[in-house]
Amino acid sequence: MSDERPQKPLPEEQLSREATSLEKAPSVSGPGASVAPVLPGQPVAAPALRASDADRERVVERLRDAVAEGRLDMEEFQERLEAAYASRTYAELEPLTRDLPAVGGAPAGATVAAGPGQEQAAWPERIGGAGTSSTAVAVMSGFQRKGQWTVPARFNAVAFWGGGDLDLREASFSQREVVITCIAVMGGIQITVPPGVEVDVRGIGVMGAFDQRGNPGPLQPGAPRVVVTGFAMWGGVEIRVKPLKSDRENKPRRRKEL
C-alpha cells in the first residue's frame, strides 16, 4: 500500500484551471438568463447607468412638447409620464422618446405651417433671462404690468380693495413654467395670456372665484406654461385668452355671404 498522497495544486495551476473552465462554459442567454453582476472597476454600458432627476425632467419636458405639437394624446402622455418618473436607468428612459423628433423638429420633407400669431410668439427667443419684477401690490389702488417685460419664475400679486392687470401677451418668461400667486381681498386681478399658452388654474375662492375665459386653442410648440394659484375672498381672479391687436388685424376676415 502506497503512502503517497495527491498533491494540492499550486495557486498558479488552480487559477489556470478555473480560467479554462470559464472559457469552455456555455453562454446563457434569453429571457430566463441571469445577468452577471458588475464588479467594481468594471466599465458599465451607458444604458445601464442610473438616471438622475434632471434626466427624468428632460424626458418629461420633451413629452409635454410632443403633446403641444399634437404627436401624443393625453392618454399616451399620462402613460409615458408615469413611466418616466418610475425609470431608474437610461435604458428605461430612452424608449419613451424614441419615436419623437427633436424639440421643435419635424420629419424629413415635412413642412410646418405657422398659425395666426405664431410668428409673433417666437417662444424660444422669449424664454430666459432675469425677471423684471416679482411683486405687485394694490391697496385701495391699482397696478399694471403690460408690454415688454419679463415674468419671473414666481410672481406675487396682491389686491386689497383695489385691482391689478397682468398682461403677458408681449412678455418674456424667465423659465418655461412660471407660477403667479394671486391674493385678492375685496378686489380683482386680471391676467391676459395669448392663444397657444398652457394655463393651469389652481386658486381657491371663498365668496370669490378664479375664472378662466376664452379658448386657448392648440398649444404652440415651445410655449410657456402659466400656473395661477392663490386665494380670493370677496374678490376674483380672471384669466383671459386674448390675441394682440396686431394679430387680430392680420387675421384674414371671412366674407359675408349675400
Side-chain angles (χ1 to χ4, degrees):
M1 186 173 181
S2 177
D3 293 336
E4 295 182 357
R5 297 180 180 178
Q7 297 181 354
K8 294 183 179 180
L10 297 175
E12 293 81 359
E13 297 177 356
Q14 185 176 0
L15 292 175
S16 177
R17 292 175 184 177
E18 291 178 355
T20 304
S21 62
L22 288 174
E23 291 177 358
K24 294 181 179 181
S27 59
V28 181
S29 61
S34 59
V35 180
V38 179
L39 300 177
Q42 183 177 351
V44 182
L49 292 176
R50 304 283 290 193
S52 66
D53 290 339
D55 296 325
R56 283 184 280 270
E57 287 299 329
R58 277 193 289 269
V59 171
V60 170
E61 192 70 17
R62 182 63 196 100
L63 295 176
R64 287 176 178 165
D65 290 334
V67 174
E69 295 163 3
R71 303 182 192 276
L72 294 177
D73 57 31
M74 289 306 299
E75 184 177 354
E76 293 173 316
F77 172 70
Q78 290 295 337
E79 291 177 356
R80 298 193 187 195
L81 184 67
E82 293 176 2
Y85 283 122
S87 297
R88 297 184 177 180
T89 64
Y90 287 113
E92 295 173 341
L93 284 175
E94 192 273 335
L96 302 179
T97 56
R98 181 183 299 164
D99 58 347
L100 300 176
V103 178
T111 58
V112 179
Q118 198 162 7
E119 294 182 358
Q120 180 274 333
W123 292 120
E125 301 175 3
R126 293 173 59 181
I127 296 180
T132 304
S133 63
S134 59
T135 305
V137 180
V139 179
M140 292 185 288
S141 60
F143 65 78
Q144 187 178 69
R145 299 286 189 279
K146 63 183 300 185
Q148 297 182 353
W149 65 293
T150 302
V151 185
R154 292 187 175 276
F155 187 89
N156 300 314
V158 180
F160 179 74
W161 280 12
D165 182 12
L166 300 176
D167 193 334
L168 312 184
R169 291 177 293 174
E170 294 182 272
S172 297
F173 298 81
S174 62
Q175 295 184 10
R176 178 71 183 278
E177 179 176 299
V178 297
V179 179
I180 301 178
T181 302
C182 300
I183 305 297
V185 179
M186 292 182 286
I189 299 174
Q190 179 175 282
I191 302 173
T192 306
V193 299
V197 173
E198 181 183 1
V199 180
D200 183 4
V201 181
R202 305 177 183 177
I204 299 174
V206 177
M207 291 182 287
F210 278 73
D211 188 18
Q212 181 175 353
R213 297 185 180 183
N215 180 14
L219 300 181
Q220 293 180 2
R225 183 169 185 261
V226 179
V227 178
V228 180
T229 185
F231 178 75
M233 181 175 180
W234 288 356
V237 177
E238 181 182 64
I239 301 93
R240 297 192 308 168
V241 179
K242 185 179 179 181
L244 284 171
K245 183 178 180 181
S246 58
D247 294 337
R248 295 197 302 268
E249 291 176 350
N250 294 332
K251 186 177 180 179
R253 298 181 178 179
R254 297 180 59 184
R255 298 179 60 183
K256 295 182 179 180
E257 297 182 359
L258 299 178

